Amino acid sequence: MTIPAGKIIGCIGAGNMGGAILAGLAGTIDTANLLVFDTDDNKSQALAGAYSITRESSAAQLAKKCHIIILAVKPGVIPDVLRSIKPETDSKIIVSIAAGVTIDSMEKIMGQDTAIVRAMPNTPALVKEAMTVLSPNSRVKETELETVKTIFEQIGKVLVLPEHLMDAVTGISGSGPAYVFTFIQAMADGAVKMGIPRNEALMLAAQTVYGSAAMLVSQEENPIALRDKVTSPGGTTIEAVHILEEKGFSGTVMSAIEAATKKSQKLGSK
């Protein structure tokens, strides 16, 4: 699906994630239909200059002109932003990427008639390889959800899941890049221990993880089946896998995701 012609999209917040979303959209739709506002005008100016996006003078002014309003600000700022744009949001779609801010809390400010989509992208959005999960409220029409989905497909892959799973999403894909970076660092350290120079070790580790993930996504095969294909009887790989499992590698990763999920639940309840 493509974004309907003439649909004006605005982003409040021009930081890393807001900037990544707008940069992805700039290569897809007419930039005359993209608006940005940030309280730090230098950030807005940088995006406007780089992608010919229109810079607005306030959140309310942006909301007045847009059909879809993306909130890419810190969670603690969301209530004030929502109150400032509320008079301009009739029949418009609000998309929030603020972690831990529930649909219910936004509806209490905006009213239950407002179409709201909660989104959870992750930092690989910066290289258009994000994993984003969307959760709409009951006011979002199917066609509107498809449009929002198309927006986030410009920066990676998209799933639609019920909101009650968002804490688990935070635990795996929201925090997940940190686990992968830690794994890559550990692989590189192992390579350095075995005599490979640091820069080459990092390249070997990072490309191995990147290529393995790409292979899994493209082939849509069970990861254990793919692992079996490189695990020869009596070979080097099974020796290494044995050590990983002996040290509780799989269980440790599962426990880490569980801990991150529970922490997200606690933060969201505050």
Side-chain angles (χ1 to χ4, degrees):
M1 180 178 175
T2 58
I3 297 169
K7 190 72 70 174
I8 300 175
I9 301 167
C11 188
I12 299 172
N16 285 338
M17 200 62 73
I21 294 168
L22 288 170
L25 289 170
T28 305
I29 67 173
D30 185 350
T31 55
N33 294 327
L34 290 177
L35 310 181
V36 63
F37 168 74
D38 195 291
T39 53
D40 183 344
D41 196 49
N42 289 331
K43 292 181 179 179
S44 296
Q45 283 185 332
L47 275 174
Y51 301 106
S52 300
I53 296 169
T54 301
R55 193 170 90 254
E56 293 298 334
S57 59
S58 69
Q61 190 67 20
L62 178 145
K64 184 177 182 179
K65 297 178 180 179
C66 290
H67 300 102
I68 299 172
I69 305 157
I70 300 170
L71 307 181
V73 298
K74 295 184 183 299
V77 180
I78 289 287
D80 288 340
V81 172
L82 289 175
R83 282 189 279 268
S84 73
I85 67 174
K86 184 176 179 180
E88 310 294 348
T89 55
D90 284 347
S91 302
K92 297 180 180 182
I93 305 168
I94 306 292
V95 181
S96 169
I97 68 169
V101 179
T102 64
I103 289 173
D104 180 66
S105 69
M106 290 185 277
E107 287 179 340
K108 286 178 179 176
I109 296 172
M110 303 301 289
Q112 293 187 340
D113 289 338
T114 304
I116 297 174
V117 179
R118 185 177 169 189
M120 174 65 72
N122 60 9
T123 54
L126 298 173
V127 291
K128 297 187 179 182
E129 291 290 353
M131 183 66 248
T132 301
V133 174
L134 305 177
S135 294
N137 71 354
S138 60
R139 304 302 297 181
V140 179
K141 299 173 184 175
E142 189 61 35
T143 54
E144 294 172 332
L145 181 58
E146 285 300 314
T147 298
V148 175
K149 187 177 178 183
T150 302
I151 288 171
F152 284 92
E153 284 174 342
Q154 309 315 308
I155 57 168
K157 296 189 180 298
V158 182
L159 290 174
V160 178
L161 292 173
E163 190 189 16
H164 73 269
L165 294 176
M166 273 297 192
D167 291 312
V169 168
T170 300
I172 183 168
S173 64
S175 300
Y179 317 152
V180 177
F181 296 145
T182 301
F183 179 55
I184 290 171
Q185 182 64 46
M187 288 181 69
D189 286 345
V192 170
K193 185 178 180 181
M194 294 297 101
I196 297 175
R198 172 63 64 181
N199 288 342
E200 285 78 1
L202 282 170
M203 174 62 76
L204 281 165
Q207 183 59 33
T208 298
V209 171
Y210 183 82
S212 300
M215 186 176 173
L216 177 63
V217 170
S218 66
Q219 296 188 10
E220 297 183 348
E221 195 169 352
N222 188 295
I224 294 300
L226 291 175
R227 189 181 77 176
D228 286 347
K229 291 179 180 179
V230 294
T231 308
S232 303
T236 59
T237 304
I238 193 61
E239 197 75 16
V241 169
H242 178 207
I243 295 296
L244 289 174
E245 296 304 343
E246 185 177 57
K247 301 297 182 181
F249 178 77
S250 296
T252 299
V253 173
M254 292 169 67
S255 295
I257 291 171
E258 182 180 20
T261 300
K262 290 180 176 178
K263 182 67 172 182
S264 179
Q265 290 168 343
K266 287 180 181 179
L267 292 174
S269 67
K270 290 182 179 181

